[in-house]
């Protein structure tokens, strides 16, 4: 197997790193590129902004689901100053590559290559590949090398760090996995430029894992519905003083079990201790909401009752619904992809408080069920009775 190494601080990894790795892989027909985060570079001052484990986590979360790219943490495991010759010896021993290892470096590092520890041995042991970073022309280099004709992306990790710390745009300069870790761990001063940290709550990395699961469990049209519900829940939470991340999480997850088998739905729903009603026995699809709440707790360790109730009650409703559950119920019924709904259900939100909006949407839903001569669930019936009592 022909291997190449791309090392660096990856502080943080950004789109330029992966573009460079792909360009080298394709240009020289390598079988695999190994990305290796440095512990401490001999060419740079002490790294700041993110610990070695943070940088490794960002890198691991950012590489694509593609076996042509992988990560090795050998330099972080060694600790101390990371020297390229030590890493090449390790790669030769552990991976047993075919032929020489490709060593990818930028032209910004090439001019000082002769100062690297045992530079002559590196040049003899590896095929040196010099990529364009800032220089499109030829360079003076005293060892054999190959020039990678890659497109220059004028971006550095330092640029990304400065953008984050100063509150400038940066989200799409890094892979999604790295973005979630930066936000969750408040790296590089994230959140400080506005004078306050992000409020505690569910991190974007957990939300992303749940969203990936939903994407795998449901067909595309159902996923788009879940996404629309999540986005509208986020907006409504912001309007009514509820944590938007909880709204997005419950919204994206609410239908995740919609296409599970009847046996799986019964098994999951039974685990919440609520029993299976005659209506649910007759129509097991009604169990998908309860099943999803149990699944979220089992698979992802989510224990927040507000989130679980929002998922659990989004189909039938409940007299015990809190603000988040009402928001997700509303979003499920009036999200932008829903057709043939009463326009009043969307318009009322412009001048209503949460309870007014919820009651309007709920009453319209009950009216529709009645028009179709469908039996109301026990939860729906009790909720209807509680609303009617409040009016008298």
């Amino acid at each position: 197997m022909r291997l190449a190494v791309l090392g660096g601080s990856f502080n943080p990894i950004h789109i330029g790193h992966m573009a460079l790795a792909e360009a080298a892989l394709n240009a020289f027909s390598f079988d695999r590129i190994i990305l290796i985060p440095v512990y401490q570079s001999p060419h740079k001052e002490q790294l700041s902004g993110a610990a070695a484990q943070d940088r490794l986590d960002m890198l691991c979360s950012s590489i694509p689901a593609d076996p042509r790219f992988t990560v090795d943490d050998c330099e972080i495991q060694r600790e101390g100053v990371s020297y390229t010759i030590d890493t090449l010896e390790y790669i030769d021993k552990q991976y047993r590559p075919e032929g020489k290892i490709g060593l990818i470096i930028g032209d910004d590092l090439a001019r000082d290559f002769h100062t690297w520890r045992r530079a002559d041995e590196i040049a003899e042991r590896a095929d040196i590949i010099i990529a364009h970073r800032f220089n499109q022309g030829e360079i003076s280099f005293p060892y054999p090398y190959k020039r990678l004709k890659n497109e220059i992306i004028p971006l550095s990790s330092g640029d990304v760090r400065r953008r984050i710390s100063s509150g400038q745009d940066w989200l799409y300069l890094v892979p999604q996995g790295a973005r979630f870790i930066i936000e969750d761990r408040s790296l590089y001063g994230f959140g400080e430029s506005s004078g306050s940290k992000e409020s505690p709550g569910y991190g974007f990395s957990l939300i992303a894992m749940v969203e990936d699961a939903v994407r795998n469990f449901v067909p595309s049209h159902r996923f788009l519905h879940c996404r629309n519900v999540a986005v509208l829940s986020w907006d409504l939470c912001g309007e009514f003083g509820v944590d938007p991340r909880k709204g997005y999480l419950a919204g994206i997850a609410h239908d995740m079990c919609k296409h599970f088998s009847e046996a799986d739905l019964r098994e999951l729903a039974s685990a919440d201790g609520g029993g299976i009603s005659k209506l649910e026995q007759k129509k097991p699809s009604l169990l998908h909401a309860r099943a999803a709440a149990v699944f979220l707790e089992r698979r992802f360790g989510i224990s927040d009752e507000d989130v679980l109730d929002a998922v659990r009650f989004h189909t039938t409703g409940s007299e015990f619904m809190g603000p988040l559950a009402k928001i997700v119920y509303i979003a499920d019924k009036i999200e932008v992809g829903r057709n043939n709904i009463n326009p009043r259900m969307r318009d009322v939100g412009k001048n209503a408080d949460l309870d007014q909006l919820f009651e309007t949407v709920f009453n319209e839903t009950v009216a529709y069920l009645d028009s179709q001569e469908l039996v109301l669930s026990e939860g729906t019936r009790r909720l209807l009775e509680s609303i009617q009592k409040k009016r008298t």
Side-chain angles (χ1 to χ4, degrees):
M1 179 175 289
R2 298 190 66 245
L3 302 177
V5 167
L6 176 60
S9 61
F10 301 107
N11 189 30
I13 183 174
H14 57 72
I15 57 174
H17 291 127
M18 292 310 303
L20 176 57
E22 182 184 26
L25 184 140
N26 292 330
F28 300 108
S29 301
F30 288 112
D31 297 302
R32 184 163 297 149
I33 303 290
I34 306 173
L35 293 92
I36 302 180
V38 68
Y39 185 78
Q40 175 58 48
S41 171
H43 316 295
K44 297 180 180 179
E45 297 179 0
Q46 187 72 29
L47 297 174
S48 61
Q53 189 62 51
D54 292 325
R55 293 186 287 109
L56 176 62
D57 290 346
M58 285 188 282
L59 189 55
C60 289
S61 70
S62 299
I63 59 172
D66 185 336
R68 298 177 302 165
F69 302 95
T70 191
V71 175
D72 195 298
D73 65 349
C74 61
E75 294 189 357
I76 288 178
Q77 290 293 329
R78 283 202 305 266
E79 298 188 339
V81 177
S82 304
Y83 292 106
T84 300
I85 187 62
D86 297 332
T87 298
L88 292 176
E89 290 174 347
Y90 164 84
I91 296 296
D92 264 332
K93 179 181 178 181
Q94 294 297 115
Y95 288 82
R96 302 290 185 182
E98 175 186 335
K100 288 185 176 182
I101 302 166
L103 176 63
I104 306 166
I105 64 174
D107 51 23
D108 55 329
L109 297 178
R111 64 176 178 270
D112 294 324
F113 182 85
H114 66 282
T115 67
W116 291 21
R117 172 178 283 192
R118 295 159 60 186
D120 291 348
E121 290 184 49
I122 294 174
E124 184 176 342
R125 181 183 286 269
D127 277 332
I128 298 174
I129 299 167
I130 300 179
H132 293 289
R133 284 292 308 277
F134 307 106
N135 179 10
Q136 285 284 17
E138 291 303 313
I139 60 172
S140 176
F141 192 74
Y143 302 98
Y145 71 94
K146 298 173 182 176
R147 192 66 153 136
L148 177 62
K149 297 180 180 179
N150 60 295
E151 181 178 351
I152 292 179
I153 297 178
L155 179 67
S156 70
S157 294
D159 294 333
V160 176
R161 294 196 301 272
R162 284 188 290 273
R163 284 177 169 274
I164 294 171
S165 64
S166 61
Q168 299 179 61
D169 297 337
W170 65 275
L171 294 181
Y172 297 102
L173 300 179
V174 301
Q176 179 175 264
R179 169 196 165 186
F180 293 144
I181 290 174
I182 290 168
E183 292 176 327
D184 287 350
R185 302 179 189 179
S186 296
L187 301 179
Y188 311 118
F190 173 72
E192 292 180 354
S193 60
S194 62
S196 63
K197 293 279 188 180
E198 288 284 299
S199 61
Y202 287 108
F204 289 106
S205 55
L206 173 62
I207 294 172
M209 286 192 291
V210 173
E211 186 162 330
D212 283 343
V214 175
R215 189 180 288 108
N216 290 327
F217 291 159
V218 302
S220 58
H221 73 277
R222 178 62 56 182
F223 176 76
L224 289 176
H225 166 68
C226 292
R227 189 73 160 68
N228 288 340
V229 173
V231 169
L232 182 53
S233 295
W234 174 285
D235 293 342
L236 291 173
C237 282
E239 183 174 345
F240 294 117
V242 178
D243 185 346
R245 284 179 291 187
K246 289 186 178 182
Y248 191 97
L249 175 59
I252 200 67
H254 79 287
D255 269 356
M256 69 188 310
C257 295
K258 187 81 170 180
H259 296 270
F260 280 24
S261 69
E262 291 184 3
D264 286 341
L265 290 176
R266 289 192 181 95
E267 187 276 324
L268 286 166
S270 297
D272 68 9
I276 306 295
S277 69
K278 290 182 179 179
L279 180 59
E280 290 168 333
Q281 290 174 357
K282 184 177 181 180
K283 192 175 182 181
S285 61
L286 289 173
L287 295 170
H288 77 275
R290 291 171 56 191
V294 173
F295 189 86
L296 277 178
E297 188 168 13
R298 281 185 181 177
R299 174 70 70 88
F300 299 101
I302 294 170
S303 58
D304 188 304
E305 285 301 322
D306 289 339
V307 172
L308 297 179
D309 281 351
V311 173
R312 183 180 295 119
F313 298 140
H314 81 267
T315 299
T316 62
S318 167
E319 59 188 313
F320 304 111
M321 296 170 78
L324 181 61
K326 291 178 180 178
I327 284 171
V328 174
Y329 184 95
I330 293 165
D332 180 40
K333 304 302 185 289
I334 69 171
E335 58 93 352
V336 67
R338 290 283 197 190
N339 297 318
N340 303 319
I341 69 169
N342 188 333
R344 189 169 69 94
M345 293 171 67
R346 291 193 177 113
D347 292 340
V348 72
K350 298 175 182 177
N351 299 298
D353 64 21
L354 178 57
D355 286 337
Q356 289 174 331
L357 178 57
F358 173 73
E359 289 185 18
T360 298
V361 172
F362 176 73
N363 288 332
E364 288 284 347
T365 302
V366 170
Y368 170 78
L369 294 173
D370 286 341
S371 71
Q372 301 297 307
E373 298 183 348
L374 297 174
V375 178
L376 299 183
S377 71
E378 186 68 15
T380 303
R381 186 179 59 77
R382 288 179 178 174
L383 175 57
L384 181 61
E385 290 174 354
S386 70
I387 290 175
Q388 291 171 341
K389 281 182 181 179
K390 285 197 302 183
R391 292 175 180 168
T392 59

